[in-house]
Structure formats: C-alpha cells, structure tokens
Amino acid sequence: MNMQSYFPVPPGVGMEENFLSLDDILLSHERLPVRSDCAFPRLGFLEKSADTQDIAEGTKMELPLWLTKGLYEKKRKVVSVELPKVYREGWRTVFNADPNVVDLHKMGPYYYSLGSQLLHFDSPENPDIAQTLLQTFIGRFRRTMDSSQNAYNEDTSAVVERLDSLEKGLFRSGQIGLNGFQSWEKGQATQLTASSLVLNYRKRKITDIQP
Amino acid sequence: SINCEATVNEAKSEGRTDLIPSIKLRHCCLLRNQRCLTAYLYDRLLRIRALRWEYGSVLPANVRFQMCAEELQWFSQYKKSLAIFMRSLGGGEGLDITQDMKPPKSLYIEVRCLKDHGEFEIDDGTVILLKKNSQHFLPRWKCEQLIRQGVLEHVMS
C-alpha cells in the first residue's frame, strides 16, 4: 500500500537485523553454503541427499541465514560457513576493478545486506569483504542517485533491474522525491486524493467484471 | 524423527549432550516461526493504524471483515486515544489533526461526485444532492472525508 501514514519497520543497518522488519525476514531466508562441525542426531530427514537418520559431522548443506546465525557459535564448532562465490576473492577483484559493470540483482539480490550478515561468521577474509562491500557501494551510488533524480516519467526498468535491493530502495526514494517536487511545481501538491484503500478496491472491482 | 519433548528429556536425564545440537536447531525453527508471525501481525497493525489517518474513523465493511476481533478492538482503542489527544489540543477547544493534511489553499473547492451519495447538508443549512457526475463548489473541510473515501473527487482548475 502506498500510503503516507504507513511506516513499515525498515531493515537493520550494517550487521544488525530488525526483528520485525519484513525486508530482513526475506533477507534471512537467503541460503549459505555451510558445513556441519558436529553431528545432528535424528535430523537426517532434513537432508534430502543422504538417506540417514542423523546428519553426520562434515555434511555440506545449504542453510538459510536465520538458521545459520542461530546455530553458529564463535567458541564452539557447530557449523562452518563458506563464502558464497560473489564474496570470494575472484569476484571481489571484479568488483574492485569496476563496480558499475556488475548486475547486482543477479549477484544478490541482497548483495550488501547478505554480505554484511556474512561478517558474523568470522571468516579471515572479513576485512577484505567489508572493504569490497563499502567500495562497491560508493562506486555505484553516484550513478544510482543521478539516474533516480533525472528520470522523470520514464521507463527506468533497464537501470533498476541491475540494482541490488538496497540500491533499489534508494532509487525509489529518489524517484518519490523527484515526483513529489514535480507535482508541487505543477500545483498538484494540494490536491486532495482518495485513500489508496479506495483506489485499490476500485481496481480490484474492475478486474472482477472483466472475463 | 525428532519428538522434541522426548528428546529434551532424554538429553537431561541421560546426559545425552550429543542431542543438544538437534534440540538447538529445532529451537531456531520455533523462533523463526514466532518471528514471522509477530512481524506479520505487527505489519497488519501498522496498516490498520494508517487507515485511521488515510480513510477515516469508520472502516468499510469489506475491510472490517478481514480483521480479527483483537485488531478491531485495537483500532477502536487507537481511535479513542487519538480522539482524546485531539480534544486536548488548542487550549481545550480541540483540533482535528486528521484534517488539512495537505496545506489548504482556499476555503472552498470544486468537487465532482463519483457515485450517488444522497443528500448532504452544509453549515448554512443548504442541502446539496450528491448525484453521480454532479459538480459542486463546497467548503473544503466538509469534503475532505468524502474525498478520502472516494465519494467525491477534488477538481483542480
């Protein structure tokens, strides 16, 4: 709903997640390559590849972020997290060379957020990962901001489809600001409008009639 | 399969610490479900709250139909809190802060009727017939709610 009075819980910043943020819930659904450092008795049914009663130590699995975070312990070996391809040295070199070339939606779509969450798992490459995330963002930000402020009433899908979710949010904010300004310039800012609830309901009724 | 309570008891009574990772994993799943449900219910409340501001104090039947008893009760209490607050403004005189959310430019505005709404009385006693497609020049404060509800449309010259 596009309402001016609806303020959903925003995603957390950096390594933090907001418990009630729907965006963070979606983010934490993303999977990570993980290796079990202990056995998980009686949970063999979760691992479709092997037909065992238990998950053995050393099993490689893809676990969602929320489960990985829940199981990971700094001092004890429960699970080890491998770096997904995009965060490894090979791809980091590409990002460092020219961050604007990459399709971050395909690489993500939560490239920055997932990258930040990865830092929880104490990889020795953490400083390099953090650095790449930051530099990539800085490198791309200017173009994202420019296009969001200059594309008025245009089809922006070509630009947007290569952005990661964080950049998409920024782009959208830029567009909202731009459209708001344009509407104010035209004297439309004071026009009273129907609640979006009414507008959405009307749209749905029309589609009910159509075969 | 893992029957949680039995497994927990076994871990405690028989000292089966090897079962702890599995117990912990299942606990993570429970927390996850709890998080999803809580966030969902909370988001619904945020939207319901927004409806008071965007639509008005009486929600249409089709929306009320989608709300559970607790949500209806919450909306009613929120309405009341807001009303008490608004009455306390302006030195006790009260101020409807859900009105004039866009800065008003004039006292009267041109509106077009989008659906039949019957008779409508304005402050000086005159009665207007709101018939579909009729246009009227009316006091802004009288129209705001009907515009929000999609009965009238604000016509800009």
Side-chain angles (χ1 to χ4, degrees), chain A residues 11 23 26 30 102-113 136-137 140-149 155-177 179:
Chain A
D23 287 317
L26 286 176
E30 293 285 305
V102 203
D103 181 341
L104 278 194
H105 181 79
K106 209 164 63 165
M107 304 278 111
Y110 295 103
Y111 173 71
Y112 298 110
S113 312
T136 306
F137 181 77
R140 288 168 63 98
F141 175 69
R142 177 87 181 281
R143 250 190 229 188
T144 309
M145 185 172 140
D146 269 347
S147 47
S148 84
Q149 291 300 291
D155 180 10
T156 50
S157 52
V159 173
V160 171
E161 68 194 3
R162 308 179 88 246
L163 302 178
D164 115 304
S165 68
L166 173 64
E167 291 168 338
K168 273 203 184 78
L170 290 172
F171 187 86
R172 222 177 296 131
S173 289
Q175 289 272 283
I176 287 169
N179 291 329

Side-chain angles (χ1 to χ4, degrees), chain A residues 3 5-6 17-19 25 28 40-42 66 70 73 187 189-196 198 201-202, chain B residues 10 18 21-22 24 32 35 39 43 46-47 50 53-55 62 102-103 105 140 147-150 154 156:
Chain A
M3 300 198 286
S5 316
Y6 165 62
E17 274 189 67
N18 280 342
F19 182 81
I25 289 176
S28 50
F40 290 88
R42 307 181 190 174
W66 60 265
E73 284 180 50
T190 53
Q191 180 175 31
L192 297 172
T193 47
S195 149
S196 62
V198 171
Y201 187 63
R202 216 181 272 156
Chain B
E10 214 179 311
D18 64 307
S22 301
K24 199 167 175 216
R32 176 67 173 180
R35 180 183 180 189
D43 191 70
L46 292 177
R47 289 165 185 271
W53 292 89
E54 253 238 357
Y55 189 82
N62 63 307
K102 291 184 180 168
K105 292 293 181 191
R140 184 199 162 90
I147 292 171
R148 284 212 199 119
Q149 292 169 355
H154 184 181
M156 306 284 285

Side-chain angles (χ1 to χ4, degrees), chain B:
Chain B
S1 68
I2 178 167
N3 179 336
C4 194
E5 198 175 321
T7 309
V8 171
N9 290 336
E10 214 179 311
K12 281 194 218 171
S13 58
E14 292 174 41
R16 292 280 308 272
T17 53
D18 64 307
L19 295 175
I20 289 175
S22 301
I23 293 171
K24 199 167 175 216
L25 193 148
R26 189 163 185 279
H27 187 68
C28 289
C29 298
L30 295 176
L31 290 177
R32 176 67 173 180
N33 287 343
Q34 186 187 52
R35 180 183 180 189
C36 293
L37 287 171
T38 312
Y40 172 70
L41 291 174
Y42 187 73
D43 191 70
R44 281 177 67 103
L45 275 189
L46 292 177
R47 289 165 185 271
I48 290 168
R49 182 179 72 177
L51 284 176
R52 171 63 189 89
W53 292 89
E54 253 238 357
Y55 189 82
S57 60
V58 180
L59 297 178
N62 63 307
V63 171
R64 282 205 309 275
F65 184 69
Q66 315 276 48
M67 289 163 63
C68 69
E70 290 83 355
E71 287 170 336
L72 289 167
Q73 190 183 31
W74 187 90
F75 183 75
S76 156
Q77 284 174 340
Y78 180 76
K79 259 195 333 190
K80 201 183 292 179
S81 294
L82 181 61
I84 291 171
F85 173 69
M86 294 199 290
R87 271 204 294 278
S88 75
L89 299 172
E93 207 182 285
L95 179 66
D96 187 349
I97 53 176
T98 64
Q99 296 273 70
D100 293 331
M101 282 170 57
K102 291 184 180 168
K105 292 293 181 191
S106 56
L107 288 176
Y108 282 71
I109 54 173
E110 187 78 23
V111 293
R112 180 184 304 120
C113 201
L114 297 175
K115 42 174 115 152
D116 287 327
H117 193 70
E119 291 186 343
F120 185 57
E121 185 175 328
I122 52 178
D123 292 337
D124 63 2
T126 345
V127 174
I128 309 266
L129 179 64
L130 294 179
K131 201 163 135 65
K132 184 169 173 178
N133 287 326
S134 62
Q135 254 179 251
H136 310 275
F137 193 59
L138 296 174
R140 184 199 162 90
W141 64 90
K142 289 239 80 150
C143 304
E144 200 163 351
Q145 198 179 36
L146 289 176
I147 292 171
R148 284 212 199 119
Q149 292 169 355
V151 174
L152 298 176
E153 184 182 39
H154 184 181
V155 178
M156 306 284 285
S157 46

Side-chain angles (χ1 to χ4, degrees), chain A residues 15 39 50 102 114-115 123 127 137 148 153 190 206-207 209:
Chain A
M15 286 174 69
V102 203
L114 187 59
S123 158
F137 181 77
S148 84
N153 248 357
T190 53
I206 290 170
T207 53
I209 295 169

Side-chain angles (χ1 to χ4, degrees), chain A residues 45-104:
Chain A
F45 67 95
L46 292 175
E47 248 302 282
K48 299 279 164 59
S49 55
D51 203 13
T52 54
Q53 199 191 27
D54 309 327
I55 295 178
E57 179 183 327
T59 310
K60 291 201 182 222
M61 306 177 277
E62 295 240 303
L63 295 184
L65 176 68
W66 60 265
L67 185 53
T68 312
K69 277 173 90 170
L71 292 174
Y72 181 79
E73 284 180 50
K74 274 193 212 296
K75 304 235 171 86
R76 202 189 317 191
K77 299 198 87 199
V78 185
V79 287
S80 302
V81 183
E82 283 169 29
L83 297 181
K85 272 202 316 269
V86 212
Y87 302 101
R88 282 189 226 152
E89 195 178 346
W91 270 108
R92 291 206 305 264
T93 316
V94 175
F95 286 113
N96 292 333
D98 185 355
N100 283 297
V101 172
V102 203
D103 181 341
L104 278 194

